mmCIF file of all heavy atoms in Angstrom:
data_model
loop_
_atom_site.group_PDB
_atom_site.id
_atom_site.type_symbol
_atom_site.label_atom_id
_atom_site.label_comp_id
_atom_site.label_asym_id
_atom_site.label_seq_id
_atom_site.Cartn_x
_atom_site.Cartn_y
_atom_site.Cartn_z
ATOM 1 N N ILE A 72 -43.151 29.118 -61.764
ATOM 2 C CA ILE A 72 -41.924 29.911 -61.894
ATOM 3 C C ILE A 72 -41.666 30.247 -63.373
ATOM 4 O O ILE A 72 -41.309 29.367 -64.151
ATOM 5 C CB ILE A 72 -40.713 29.125 -61.330
ATOM 6 C CG1 ILE A 72 -41.003 28.598 -59.925
ATOM 7 C CG2 ILE A 72 -39.464 29.968 -61.389
ATOM 8 C CD1 ILE A 72 -41.209 29.647 -58.884
ATOM 9 N N PRO A 73 -41.815 31.520 -63.765
ATOM 10 C CA PRO A 73 -41.610 31.893 -65.165
ATOM 11 C C PRO A 73 -40.173 32.253 -65.537
ATOM 12 O O PRO A 73 -39.862 32.377 -66.716
ATOM 13 C CB PRO A 73 -42.520 33.118 -65.323
ATOM 14 C CG PRO A 73 -42.543 33.729 -63.970
ATOM 15 C CD PRO A 73 -42.434 32.585 -62.993
ATOM 16 N N ALA A 74 -39.287 32.439 -64.562
ATOM 17 C CA ALA A 74 -37.930 32.909 -64.867
ATOM 18 C C ALA A 74 -36.934 32.355 -63.843
ATOM 19 O O ALA A 74 -37.335 31.885 -62.783
ATOM 20 C CB ALA A 74 -37.914 34.439 -64.845
ATOM 21 N N PRO A 75 -35.642 32.443 -64.143
ATOM 22 C CA PRO A 75 -34.621 31.969 -63.209
ATOM 23 C C PRO A 75 -34.511 32.854 -61.966
ATOM 24 O O PRO A 75 -35.110 33.930 -61.884
ATOM 25 C CB PRO A 75 -33.322 32.053 -64.006
ATOM 26 C CG PRO A 75 -33.690 32.324 -65.404
ATOM 27 C CD PRO A 75 -35.083 32.868 -65.405
ATOM 28 N N TRP A 76 -33.726 32.385 -61.002
ATOM 29 C CA TRP A 76 -33.404 33.170 -59.809
ATOM 30 C C TRP A 76 -32.697 34.456 -60.245
ATOM 31 O O TRP A 76 -31.983 34.477 -61.243
ATOM 32 C CB TRP A 76 -32.451 32.402 -58.902
ATOM 33 C CG TRP A 76 -33.036 31.246 -58.180
ATOM 34 C CD1 TRP A 76 -33.168 29.964 -58.646
ATOM 35 C CD2 TRP A 76 -33.543 31.237 -56.844
ATOM 36 N NE1 TRP A 76 -33.717 29.173 -57.680
ATOM 37 C CE2 TRP A 76 -33.957 29.923 -56.559
ATOM 38 C CE3 TRP A 76 -33.681 32.213 -55.851
ATOM 39 C CZ2 TRP A 76 -34.504 29.554 -55.338
ATOM 40 C CZ3 TRP A 76 -34.215 31.849 -54.633
ATOM 41 C CH2 TRP A 76 -34.632 30.541 -54.385
ATOM 42 N N VAL A 77 -32.876 35.535 -59.492
ATOM 43 C CA VAL A 77 -32.174 36.795 -59.752
ATOM 44 C C VAL A 77 -31.580 37.330 -58.463
ATOM 45 O O VAL A 77 -32.154 37.133 -57.405
ATOM 46 C CB VAL A 77 -33.117 37.864 -60.382
ATOM 47 C CG1 VAL A 77 -33.474 37.492 -61.787
ATOM 48 C CG2 VAL A 77 -34.350 38.109 -59.551
ATOM 49 N N PRO A 78 -30.458 37.972 -58.438
ATOM 50 C CA PRO A 78 -29.626 38.163 -59.602
ATOM 51 C C PRO A 78 -28.619 37.039 -59.833
ATOM 52 O O PRO A 78 -28.029 36.969 -60.909
ATOM 53 C CB PRO A 78 -28.897 39.459 -59.288
ATOM 54 C CG PRO A 78 -28.719 39.438 -57.809
ATOM 55 C CD PRO A 78 -29.963 38.749 -57.297
ATOM 56 N N GLY A 79 -28.356 36.188 -58.905
ATOM 57 C CA GLY A 79 -27.265 35.229 -59.055
ATOM 58 C C GLY A 79 -25.943 35.941 -58.833
ATOM 59 O O GLY A 79 -25.890 37.163 -58.701
ATOM 60 N N SER A 80 -24.885 35.191 -58.777
ATOM 61 C CA SER A 80 -23.561 35.782 -58.575
ATOM 62 C C SER A 80 -22.971 36.169 -59.931
ATOM 63 O O SER A 80 -22.818 35.310 -60.799
ATOM 64 C CB SER A 80 -22.644 34.785 -57.875
ATOM 65 O OG SER A 80 -21.352 35.332 -57.756
ATOM 66 N N PRO A 81 -22.622 37.435 -60.124
ATOM 67 C CA PRO A 81 -22.127 37.867 -61.433
ATOM 68 C C PRO A 81 -20.734 37.339 -61.775
ATOM 69 O O PRO A 81 -20.355 37.324 -62.935
ATOM 70 C CB PRO A 81 -22.122 39.390 -61.321
ATOM 71 C CG PRO A 81 -21.967 39.659 -59.868
ATOM 72 C CD PRO A 81 -22.686 38.528 -59.163
ATOM 73 N N THR A 82 -19.975 36.908 -60.791
ATOM 74 C CA THR A 82 -18.591 36.518 -61.050
ATOM 75 C C THR A 82 -18.280 35.050 -60.775
ATOM 76 O O THR A 82 -17.189 34.595 -61.074
ATOM 77 C CB THR A 82 -17.629 37.378 -60.210
ATOM 78 O OG1 THR A 82 -17.957 37.217 -58.831
ATOM 79 C CG2 THR A 82 -17.724 38.837 -60.596
ATOM 80 N N VAL A 83 -19.240 34.303 -60.198
ATOM 81 C CA VAL A 83 -19.003 32.891 -59.903
ATOM 82 C C VAL A 83 -19.926 32.057 -60.779
ATOM 83 O O VAL A 83 -21.142 32.110 -60.634
ATOM 84 C CB VAL A 83 -19.245 32.571 -58.411
ATOM 85 C CG1 VAL A 83 -19.043 31.098 -58.141
ATOM 86 C CG2 VAL A 83 -18.332 33.416 -57.525
ATOM 87 N N LEU A 84 -19.334 31.308 -61.704
ATOM 88 C CA LEU A 84 -20.107 30.455 -62.592
ATOM 89 C C LEU A 84 -19.923 28.995 -62.186
ATOM 90 O O LEU A 84 -18.829 28.570 -61.839
ATOM 91 C CB LEU A 84 -19.660 30.635 -64.043
ATOM 92 C CG LEU A 84 -19.817 32.031 -64.646
ATOM 93 C CD1 LEU A 84 -19.341 32.045 -66.090
ATOM 94 C CD2 LEU A 84 -21.247 32.514 -64.542
ATOM 95 N N VAL A 85 -21.019 28.253 -62.227
ATOM 96 C CA VAL A 85 -21.003 26.824 -61.929
ATOM 97 C C VAL A 85 -21.608 26.128 -63.149
ATOM 98 O O VAL A 85 -22.789 26.313 -63.432
ATOM 99 C CB VAL A 85 -21.823 26.505 -60.654
ATOM 100 C CG1 VAL A 85 -21.853 25.012 -60.401
ATOM 101 C CG2 VAL A 85 -21.268 27.256 -59.458
ATOM 102 N N GLY A 86 -20.794 25.390 -63.875
ATOM 103 C CA GLY A 86 -21.279 24.761 -65.097
ATOM 104 C C GLY A 86 -21.787 25.767 -66.111
ATOM 105 O O GLY A 86 -22.745 25.499 -66.832
ATOM 106 N N GLY A 87 -21.189 26.947 -66.155
ATOM 107 C CA GLY A 87 -21.580 27.982 -67.107
ATOM 108 C C GLY A 87 -22.743 28.847 -66.674
ATOM 109 O O GLY A 87 -23.144 29.751 -67.395
ATOM 110 N N GLN A 88 -23.316 28.599 -65.500
ATOM 111 C CA GLN A 88 -24.450 29.380 -64.983
ATOM 112 C C GLN A 88 -24.024 30.151 -63.733
ATOM 113 O O GLN A 88 -23.227 29.644 -62.947
ATOM 114 C CB GLN A 88 -25.605 28.459 -64.603
ATOM 115 C CG GLN A 88 -26.258 27.773 -65.769
ATOM 116 C CD GLN A 88 -27.085 28.742 -66.592
ATOM 117 O OE1 GLN A 88 -27.707 29.655 -66.070
ATOM 118 N NE2 GLN A 88 -27.079 28.551 -67.898
ATOM 119 N N PRO A 89 -24.560 31.363 -63.529
ATOM 120 C CA PRO A 89 -24.247 32.082 -62.290
ATOM 121 C C PRO A 89 -24.705 31.292 -61.057
ATOM 122 O O PRO A 89 -25.795 30.718 -61.036
ATOM 123 C CB PRO A 89 -25.052 33.382 -62.418
ATOM 124 C CG PRO A 89 -25.247 33.561 -63.886
ATOM 125 C CD PRO A 89 -25.388 32.167 -64.435
ATOM 126 N N ALA A 90 -23.841 31.249 -60.063
ATOM 127 C CA ALA A 90 -24.172 30.574 -58.802
ATOM 128 C C ALA A 90 -25.180 31.410 -58.015
ATOM 129 O O ALA A 90 -25.284 32.623 -58.202
ATOM 130 C CB ALA A 90 -22.905 30.373 -57.968
ATOM 131 N N LEU A 91 -25.932 30.742 -57.139
ATOM 132 C CA LEU A 91 -26.861 31.460 -56.258
ATOM 133 C C LEU A 91 -26.145 31.870 -54.993
ATOM 134 O O LEU A 91 -25.328 31.117 -54.461
ATOM 135 C CB LEU A 91 -28.025 30.563 -55.832
ATOM 136 C CG LEU A 91 -29.084 30.232 -56.848
ATOM 137 C CD1 LEU A 91 -30.233 29.501 -56.167
ATOM 138 C CD2 LEU A 91 -29.588 31.458 -57.539
ATOM 139 N N ASN A 92 -26.461 33.060 -54.499
ATOM 140 C CA ASN A 92 -26.064 33.404 -53.138
ATOM 141 C C ASN A 92 -27.331 33.624 -52.333
ATOM 142 O O ASN A 92 -28.429 33.633 -52.877
ATOM 143 C CB ASN A 92 -25.087 34.581 -53.080
ATOM 144 C CG ASN A 92 -25.704 35.916 -53.398
ATOM 145 O OD1 ASN A 92 -26.881 36.146 -53.171
ATOM 146 N ND2 ASN A 92 -24.901 36.822 -53.915
ATOM 147 N N GLN A 93 -27.183 33.764 -51.042
ATOM 148 C CA GLN A 93 -28.361 33.787 -50.171
ATOM 149 C C GLN A 93 -29.260 34.992 -50.376
ATOM 150 O O GLN A 93 -30.385 35.007 -49.884
ATOM 151 C CB GLN A 93 -27.936 33.694 -48.715
ATOM 152 C CG GLN A 93 -27.239 34.946 -48.203
ATOM 153 C CD GLN A 93 -26.662 34.779 -46.837
ATOM 154 O OE1 GLN A 93 -25.996 33.790 -46.566
ATOM 155 N NE2 GLN A 93 -26.917 35.728 -45.976
ATOM 156 N N THR A 94 -28.834 35.995 -51.130
ATOM 157 C CA THR A 94 -29.686 37.159 -51.376
ATOM 158 C C THR A 94 -30.491 37.039 -52.671
ATOM 159 O O THR A 94 -31.308 37.903 -52.960
ATOM 160 C CB THR A 94 -28.855 38.453 -51.415
ATOM 161 O OG1 THR A 94 -27.919 38.367 -52.482
ATOM 162 C CG2 THR A 94 -28.129 38.679 -50.096
ATOM 163 N N SER A 95 -30.267 35.984 -53.442
ATOM 164 C CA SER A 95 -31.019 35.785 -54.694
ATOM 165 C C SER A 95 -32.493 35.556 -54.384
ATOM 166 O O SER A 95 -32.846 35.008 -53.341
ATOM 167 C CB SER A 95 -30.461 34.581 -55.455
ATOM 168 O OG SER A 95 -29.114 34.786 -55.815
ATOM 169 N N LYS A 96 -33.355 35.967 -55.301
ATOM 170 C CA LYS A 96 -34.811 35.817 -55.149
ATOM 171 C C LYS A 96 -35.370 35.109 -56.381
ATOM 172 O O LYS A 96 -34.814 35.176 -57.462
ATOM 173 C CB LYS A 96 -35.504 37.171 -55.015
ATOM 174 C CG LYS A 96 -34.992 38.043 -53.897
ATOM 175 C CD LYS A 96 -35.445 37.566 -52.561
ATOM 176 C CE LYS A 96 -35.000 38.545 -51.487
ATOM 177 N NZ LYS A 96 -34.661 37.931 -50.249
ATOM 178 N N LEU A 97 -36.522 34.476 -56.172
ATOM 179 C CA LEU A 97 -37.222 33.795 -57.250
ATOM 180 C C LEU A 97 -38.671 34.270 -57.217
ATOM 181 O O LEU A 97 -39.295 34.282 -56.158
ATOM 182 C CB LEU A 97 -37.139 32.275 -57.038
ATOM 183 C CG LEU A 97 -37.640 31.374 -58.141
ATOM 184 C CD1 LEU A 97 -36.846 31.607 -59.434
ATOM 185 C CD2 LEU A 97 -37.493 29.921 -57.718
ATOM 186 N N MET A 98 -39.185 34.682 -58.354
ATOM 187 C CA MET A 98 -40.546 35.214 -58.419
ATOM 188 C C MET A 98 -41.518 34.142 -58.885
ATOM 189 O O MET A 98 -41.271 33.442 -59.854
ATOM 190 C CB MET A 98 -40.606 36.390 -59.388
ATOM 191 C CG MET A 98 -39.571 37.459 -59.108
ATOM 192 S SD MET A 98 -39.477 37.893 -57.388
ATOM 193 C CE MET A 98 -39.761 39.596 -57.465
ATOM 194 N N CYS A 99 -42.635 34.044 -58.178
ATOM 195 C CA CYS A 99 -43.714 33.140 -58.546
ATOM 196 C C CYS A 99 -44.723 33.934 -59.374
ATOM 197 O O CYS A 99 -44.989 35.106 -59.086
ATOM 198 C CB CYS A 99 -44.375 32.571 -57.293
ATOM 199 S SG CYS A 99 -45.821 31.536 -57.628
ATOM 200 N N ALA A 100 -45.307 33.305 -60.370
ATOM 201 C CA ALA A 100 -46.301 33.974 -61.214
ATOM 202 C C ALA A 100 -47.545 34.367 -60.428
ATOM 203 O O ALA A 100 -48.332 35.192 -60.889
ATOM 204 C CB ALA A 100 -46.679 33.081 -62.388
ATOM 205 N N TYR A 101 -47.756 33.791 -59.245
ATOM 206 C CA TYR A 101 -48.911 34.126 -58.412
ATOM 207 C C TYR A 101 -48.594 35.258 -57.439
ATOM 208 O O TYR A 101 -49.290 35.458 -56.468
ATOM 209 C CB TYR A 101 -49.390 32.894 -57.641
ATOM 210 C CG TYR A 101 -49.711 31.718 -58.528
ATOM 211 C CD1 TYR A 101 -49.259 30.447 -58.194
ATOM 212 C CD2 TYR A 101 -50.456 31.866 -59.690
ATOM 213 C CE1 TYR A 101 -49.544 29.354 -59.002
ATOM 214 C CE2 TYR A 101 -50.740 30.781 -60.511
ATOM 215 C CZ TYR A 101 -50.279 29.526 -60.152
ATOM 216 O OH TYR A 101 -50.560 28.444 -60.956
ATOM 217 N N ALA A 102 -47.498 35.991 -57.669
ATOM 218 C CA ALA A 102 -47.084 37.185 -56.931
ATOM 219 C C ALA A 102 -46.241 36.902 -55.695
ATOM 220 O O ALA A 102 -45.873 37.819 -54.985
ATOM 221 C CB ALA A 102 -48.273 38.066 -56.556
ATOM 222 N N GLY A 103 -45.912 35.670 -55.432
ATOM 223 C CA GLY A 103 -45.049 35.356 -54.295
ATOM 224 C C GLY A 103 -43.590 35.607 -54.620
ATOM 225 O O GLY A 103 -43.175 35.585 -55.776
ATOM 226 N N VAL A 104 -42.811 35.870 -53.579
ATOM 227 C CA VAL A 104 -41.370 36.029 -53.706
ATOM 228 C C VAL A 104 -40.726 34.937 -52.859
ATOM 229 O O VAL A 104 -40.992 34.843 -51.659
ATOM 230 C CB VAL A 104 -40.896 37.422 -53.236
ATOM 231 C CG1 VAL A 104 -39.380 37.537 -53.330
ATOM 232 C CG2 VAL A 104 -41.577 38.518 -54.040
ATOM 233 N N ILE A 105 -39.894 34.136 -53.485
ATOM 234 C CA ILE A 105 -39.221 33.038 -52.797
ATOM 235 C C ILE A 105 -37.817 33.489 -52.443
ATOM 236 O O ILE A 105 -37.082 34.009 -53.296
ATOM 237 C CB ILE A 105 -39.191 31.780 -53.691
ATOM 238 C CG1 ILE A 105 -40.626 31.344 -53.994
ATOM 239 C CG2 ILE A 105 -38.384 30.663 -53.022
ATOM 240 C CD1 ILE A 105 -40.740 30.288 -55.070
ATOM 241 N N SER A 106 -37.462 33.308 -51.182
ATOM 242 C CA SER A 106 -36.136 33.710 -50.715
ATOM 243 C C SER A 106 -35.473 32.560 -49.970
ATOM 244 O O SER A 106 -36.120 31.596 -49.554
ATOM 245 C CB SER A 106 -36.239 34.943 -49.819
ATOM 246 O OG SER A 106 -37.086 34.677 -48.733
ATOM 247 N N VAL A 107 -34.170 32.677 -49.809
ATOM 248 C CA VAL A 107 -33.369 31.675 -49.114
ATOM 249 C C VAL A 107 -33.289 32.067 -47.642
ATOM 250 O O VAL A 107 -32.847 33.164 -47.317
ATOM 251 C CB VAL A 107 -31.946 31.597 -49.716
ATOM 252 C CG1 VAL A 107 -31.081 30.607 -48.962
ATOM 253 C CG2 VAL A 107 -32.013 31.262 -51.195
ATOM 254 N N THR A 108 -33.744 31.183 -46.756
ATOM 255 C CA THR A 108 -33.669 31.468 -45.322
ATOM 256 C C THR A 108 -32.456 30.810 -44.668
ATOM 257 O O THR A 108 -31.989 31.270 -43.646
ATOM 258 C CB THR A 108 -34.946 31.014 -44.593
ATOM 259 O OG1 THR A 108 -35.145 29.619 -44.816
ATOM 260 C CG2 THR A 108 -36.157 31.807 -45.081
ATOM 261 N N ASN A 109 -31.965 29.725 -45.270
ATOM 262 C CA ASN A 109 -30.748 29.062 -44.805
ATOM 263 C C ASN A 109 -30.051 28.537 -46.051
ATOM 264 O O ASN A 109 -30.603 27.696 -46.756
ATOM 265 C CB ASN A 109 -31.088 27.917 -43.847
ATOM 266 C CG ASN A 109 -29.853 27.216 -43.323
ATOM 267 O OD1 ASN A 109 -28.836 27.120 -43.986
ATOM 268 N ND2 ASN A 109 -29.951 26.705 -42.116
ATOM 269 N N PRO A 110 -28.832 29.013 -46.350
ATOM 270 C CA PRO A 110 -28.192 28.668 -47.621
ATOM 271 C C PRO A 110 -27.729 27.222 -47.763
ATOM 272 O O PRO A 110 -27.362 26.798 -48.848
ATOM 273 C CB PRO A 110 -27.010 29.630 -47.696
ATOM 274 C CG PRO A 110 -26.710 29.974 -46.287
ATOM 275 C CD PRO A 110 -28.032 29.951 -45.571
ATOM 276 N N GLY A 111 -27.724 26.450 -46.704
ATOM 277 C CA GLY A 111 -27.282 25.064 -46.809
ATOM 278 C C GLY A 111 -25.784 24.886 -46.710
ATOM 279 O O GLY A 111 -25.300 23.803 -46.474
ATOM 280 N N CYS A 112 -25.017 25.944 -46.933
ATOM 281 C CA CYS A 112 -23.561 25.961 -46.765
ATOM 282 C C CYS A 112 -23.252 27.156 -45.872
ATOM 283 O O CYS A 112 -23.876 28.196 -45.994
ATOM 284 C CB CYS A 112 -22.840 26.195 -48.075
ATOM 285 S SG CYS A 112 -23.243 25.126 -49.438
ATOM 286 N N THR A 113 -22.310 26.991 -44.998
ATOM 287 C CA THR A 113 -21.968 28.124 -44.121
ATOM 288 C C THR A 113 -20.497 28.516 -44.208
ATOM 289 O O THR A 113 -20.044 29.362 -43.450
ATOM 290 C CB THR A 113 -22.305 27.792 -42.658
ATOM 291 O OG1 THR A 113 -21.589 26.603 -42.288
ATOM 292 C CG2 THR A 113 -23.796 27.596 -42.475
ATOM 293 N N ASN A 114 -19.770 27.910 -45.148
ATOM 294 C CA ASN A 114 -18.345 28.213 -45.212
ATOM 295 C C ASN A 114 -17.868 28.655 -46.583
ATOM 296 O O ASN A 114 -16.681 28.732 -46.834
ATOM 297 C CB ASN A 114 -17.533 26.984 -44.763
ATOM 298 C CG ASN A 114 -17.821 25.760 -45.609
ATOM 299 O OD1 ASN A 114 -18.753 25.756 -46.399
ATOM 300 N ND2 ASN A 114 -17.017 24.729 -45.444
ATOM 301 N N ILE A 115 -18.795 28.989 -47.497
ATOM 302 C CA ILE A 115 -18.418 29.424 -48.842
ATOM 303 C C ILE A 115 -19.082 30.763 -49.121
ATOM 304 O O ILE A 115 -20.295 30.846 -49.263
ATOM 305 C CB ILE A 115 -18.852 28.398 -49.905
ATOM 306 C CG1 ILE A 115 -18.313 27.013 -49.579
ATOM 307 C CG2 ILE A 115 -18.375 28.852 -51.282
ATOM 308 C CD1 ILE A 115 -18.928 25.912 -50.407
#
């Protein structure tokens, strides 16, 4: 993983960092795209 998740939430910061939402993606240097299939929370 060469970079952080994108795009993150532009308006919700957690400890000074943008929070992840279920549409955020993470790029692998081997050309894979990592996505969230179940966010782990269903009420936020």
Side-chain angles (χ1 to χ4, degrees):
I72 309 295
W76 288 86
V77 290
S80 177
T82 58
V83 178
L84 299 180
V85 177
Q88 292 288 324
L91 287 188
N92 72 29
Q93 70 188 47
T94 62
S95 298
K96 304 286 185 214
L97 188 61
M98 308 314 236
C99 175
Y101 304 134
V104 178
I105 299 169
S106 58
V107 177
T108 58
N109 181 329
C112 307
T113 58
N114 58 349
I115 306 168

